[in-house]
Amino acid sequence: MTLILTRSELTGLVTPRQVAEAVETAFTDLAQGRAAQPHAEPARLPGADPQFVPMVGLLGGGVAVSKLLSDIPGNRGRGLPTQQSVVVLADAETGAPLAILDGAVPTRLRTAAATRVATRHLARPDWDTLGVVGAGPLAAAHVVALADERDLERVLVWSRSAATVETLRRTVAEACPGLEVVAAASPREVVAAADVVCTVTPSREPLVEGAWLRPGQHLNAVGSPPRNDHREVDAAVLGAARDSGLLVVDSTPAALHESGDVAHAVAEGVITAEDCALELARVVGGQHPGRTSDRQVSVFNSVGIGLEDAAVGRLLLDAARERGLGTEITLSS
């Protein structure tokens, strides 16, 4: 039997801490050869707007996941989400289809969890101020996840839309009582005030400049869609992290093929493809020391990988079964 899980059934099913632990374990397993993370090229017709991104991940002894992510900027004019996805889980031993999940909740959860894990391993141990560039649902997921990781009193947020900041403020107030959301006047103000900065926007042009960074800061650039013509940070941001030895990606092939931040920095000659060799799994798995100085600038640049979907997918499937949620069907009938 295959379990079908809708967005409403998946919402609130697991905690940010559970997701972070599952994602961290998956990265450790990848580093130690107990998981696999192949890279698949996005599919796009010449001159066409829609792009379809296949993401595959395998957890040994557990599940294999295939997620199909559609990225269609033209959907804005149709009143539809720019990104939509569906996640399929299969038994890693038998190949039997276990579940089909709407992809919105798993994607949001695993992206924030990967950022949380990266921050745990790369930021200064004494960091205590958080800044966020962007204020949509992904920003809210990041604030909730990082506030659960660290006892924060306030978070500084910038968005082009005051209404979006207000929506985020209400979401955070419900999930994290007592955490104050302060609207910033500019991305530069966010960077100036924060030890840890998250960029969570679909921007085409850089919103954060390397010239603004201070020694010891950690930045998570995780919002851009998998398109080389989108970027949230300028080349100097990645150059500063490279110079500190802490330019970290979730997947080197994905970063080189799908990250606009990386593509522009390489094209401008600030970094090389070889500078994107340090994957988060090596840091989490203990094969790289991560931060060794309080003055290093660290950057985690992520476009998302199937392994993260596998980790959160299995977690959500187990939780749904425990609560008796979802609809079971027989696909082979």
Side-chain angles (χ1 to χ4, degrees), residues 92-180:
E93 297 296 325
T94 69
L98 298 174
I100 300 173
L101 287 63
D102 177 82
V105 171
T107 298
R108 196 175 301 148
L109 286 173
R110 59 85 150 150
T111 303
T115 292
R116 177 173 176 169
V117 171
T119 301
R120 181 183 294 171
H121 287 271
L122 298 173
R124 294 196 327 267
D126 63 345
W127 79 271
D128 62 5
T129 55
L130 173 64
V132 181
V133 176
L138 186 58
H142 275 70
V143 172
V144 171
L146 288 168
D148 187 62
E149 176 78 8
R150 185 61 54 97
D151 185 18
L152 302 174
E153 294 183 358
R154 71 170 197 154
V155 54
L156 196 62
V157 177
W158 174 84
S159 172
R160 291 188 175 94
S161 167
T164 306
V165 174
E166 186 56 36
T167 299
L168 182 142
R169 183 178 283 117
R170 291 195 296 269
T171 301
V172 170
E174 182 177 345
C176 310
L179 178 58
E180 182 184 11

Side-chain angles (χ1 to χ4, degrees), residues 1-86:
M1 300 290 284
T2 303
L3 192 64
I4 309 298
L5 290 164
T6 66
R7 187 175 306 182
S8 60
E9 290 169 329
L10 294 170
T11 300
L13 195 53
V14 294
T15 68
R17 185 170 297 275
Q18 289 174 314
V19 181
E21 298 310 316
V23 168
E24 184 167 48
T25 297
F27 277 118
T28 300
D29 288 346
L30 180 61
Q32 298 179 358
R34 296 191 296 268
Q37 177 52 63
H39 177 253
E41 293 284 341
R44 184 180 182 186
L45 295 176
D49 181 47
Q51 176 172 275
F52 296 88
V53 185
M55 297 182 177
V56 179
L58 173 62
L59 297 175
V63 299
V65 160
S66 176
K67 181 171 81 174
L68 181 62
L69 169 70
S70 65
D71 181 67
I72 306 175
N75 271 355
R76 292 190 185 95
R78 304 181 182 102
L80 296 173
T82 299
Q83 292 191 347
Q84 301 179 79
S85 60
V86 62

Side-chain angles (χ1 to χ4, degrees), residues 39-42 221 225-228 230 238 247-266 271-273 275-280 300-305:
H39 177 253
E41 293 284 341
R227 291 177 181 262
N228 286 344
H230 287 63
L238 302 190
L247 174 55
V248 181
V249 298
D250 48 9
S251 160
T252 295
L256 294 177
H257 289 90
E258 300 170 25
S259 170
D261 297 308
V262 168
H264 281 84
V266 171
I271 66 170
T272 66
D275 292 328
C276 298
L278 180 54
E279 296 182 332
L280 182 59
F300 176 55
N301 182 245
S302 170
V303 293
I305 54 176

